[in-house]
Amino acid sequence: MPTGIDGFEHAYAQVNGVTLHYVSGGSGDPLVLLPGWPRTWWQYRKMMRALSEHFRVIVCEYRGMGDSEKPETGYDKATMARDVRELVRHLGYERVNIAGEDVGSWIAYFFAARHPDATSKLAMWDPGAPDRLLASVPALPAAEEGNAWHFGFNQLDGLPERLLTGRYRILIDWYADKISGDPEAIDEESRAIYARAYDSPEAIRAVAGWYRTLHQDIQEAAGYPKLTMPLLVPGGRFMEMSRASNEHRASDITFVEFPGAGHYLAEERPEQLSRELINFFGRPTA
């Protein structure tokens, strides 16, 4: 379901046994962007032109997302990070900058932790590294603000497909309205694009794969040493969780809070997030 942005091209690559869809444009050092759930590459649409003035931007729809392949297995984040690593090699790069939001932040962390020689700098947000803190989110919170019901729901066997196939727009709207600091930043066109991307049983099953492997990811991430490359962690409403999940992950870490922002920084605060990424990734490493 490609949608055009001037100066960017859609392409596909067969890597690590899976076909990945990616969108690329611009020139300079490579910057890989990984979207979150329930999003696609389109979530970065407001940022891509600005970033492409400084970097070769590569927005990757990882295993199970959008127009990428949706196999039965391989949704642990180590495998998904390997997919992205092989895509980077396929494109002729040995080292890249990498950034991710939501599920994309889990993959970005695994990319940096498992492939440090391929990682120049890392940015990740909401939440960042898969952490034990995620497993402690209460199933019956005292307030709606702390309700992460989707963690359990998305792991269920077969039920999400039966409930959501052809109805994913309901979920897209609910999350855009509930956890965004600016629901109008996710416009009608974008909501329709996201709904179409997730409306099939295959796409919903892939989402379940991302979440069913999360306990495994958390356990594996707990055993990694501190990252040595520079790490940027921006955040809005959920900055406290992002800080707690990531403050022990790297020896060179910068937190940047966007007051008033919700969960979808790339869509709610594209100019501000673009500036932070340009300053961070464009700054020479000491």
Side-chain angles (χ1 to χ4, degrees):
M1 143 195 90
T3 302
I5 291 182
D6 289 345
F8 285 83
E9 296 182 349
H10 293 263
Y12 297 83
Q14 178 77 22
V15 293
N16 200 33
V18 66
T19 301
L20 298 185
H21 169 242
Y22 63 96
V23 185
S24 60
S27 60
D29 292 338
L31 170 58
V32 176
L33 300 176
L34 301 176
W37 172 84
R39 296 291 184 266
T40 68
W41 74 270
W42 183 249
Q43 82 164 70
Y44 289 111
R45 68 197 178 280
K46 300 177 183 179
M47 300 173 57
M48 289 164 61
R49 287 177 182 161
L51 293 175
S52 70
E53 295 177 3
H54 302 267
F55 310 103
R56 178 65 178 177
V57 175
I58 304 154
V59 188
C60 174
E61 290 187 327
Y62 39 78
R63 180 185 294 243
M65 174 178 279
D67 287 325
S68 288
E69 191 176 351
K70 301 167 181 62
E72 294 283 343
T73 60
Y75 294 105
D76 62 281
K77 306 315 169 292
T79 297
M80 296 175 74
R82 182 70 182 184
D83 295 343
V84 179
R85 175 70 182 104
E86 293 305 316
L87 174 63
V88 166
R89 281 189 173 142
H90 171 81
L91 296 176
Y93 302 111
E94 286 303 316
R95 287 174 63 85
V96 296
N97 297 305
I98 188 163
E101 179 178 286
D102 192 77
V103 174
S105 72
W106 300 339
I107 302 166
Y109 172 77
F110 267 76
F111 184 100
R114 294 180 64 89
H115 309 288
D117 292 345
T119 311
S120 297
K121 294 182 182 180
L122 167 67
M124 55 184 185
W125 58 94
D126 278 12
D131 190 77
R132 291 189 178 100
L133 183 63
L134 295 176
S136 69
V137 176
L140 189 62
E144 182 179 324
E145 179 76 15
N147 194 322
W149 62 272
H150 65 279
F151 280 90
F153 177 77
N154 280 331
Q155 295 182 46
L156 297 176
D157 184 13
L159 184 60
E161 294 95 315
R162 294 171 66 185
L163 292 178
L164 292 177
T165 296
R167 304 184 186 95
Y168 222 86
R169 175 62 188 265
I170 298 171
L171 189 148
I172 298 295
D173 287 341
W174 192 89
Y175 268 106
D177 295 338
K178 291 292 184 181
I179 66 173
S180 168
D182 179 11
E184 293 184 1
I186 302 109
D187 60 21
E188 170 64 28
E189 179 186 18
S190 299
R191 294 180 187 217
I193 287 172
Y194 300 143
R196 287 197 300 272
Y198 288 97
D199 258 344
S200 71
E202 295 77 17
I204 299 170
R205 174 179 48 76
V207 172
W210 301 339
Y211 283 90
R212 284 178 191 153
T213 55
L214 186 52
H215 271 286
Q216 173 186 339
D217 301 329
I218 291 169
Q219 292 171 359
E220 184 173 342
Y224 290 147
K226 280 190 174 184
L227 302 175
T228 57
M229 76 286 296
L231 168 61
L232 174 69
V233 181
R237 180 184 301 171
F238 304 103
M239 190 73 209
E240 182 177 348
M241 174 177 282
S242 291
R243 186 179 296 276
S245 297
N246 298 293
E247 59 189 358
H248 56 292
R249 298 290 179 177
S251 55
D252 180 1
I253 181 169
T254 302
F255 292 96
V256 178
E257 186 168 0
F258 298 172
H263 179 57
Y264 304 112
L265 296 187
E267 294 178 287
E268 297 177 49
R269 300 292 182 88
E271 294 86 4
Q272 190 175 1
L273 183 56
S274 294
R275 285 196 301 270
E276 293 294 341
L277 295 185
I278 290 167
N279 290 337
F280 175 70
F281 289 120
R283 186 169 62 240
T285 303

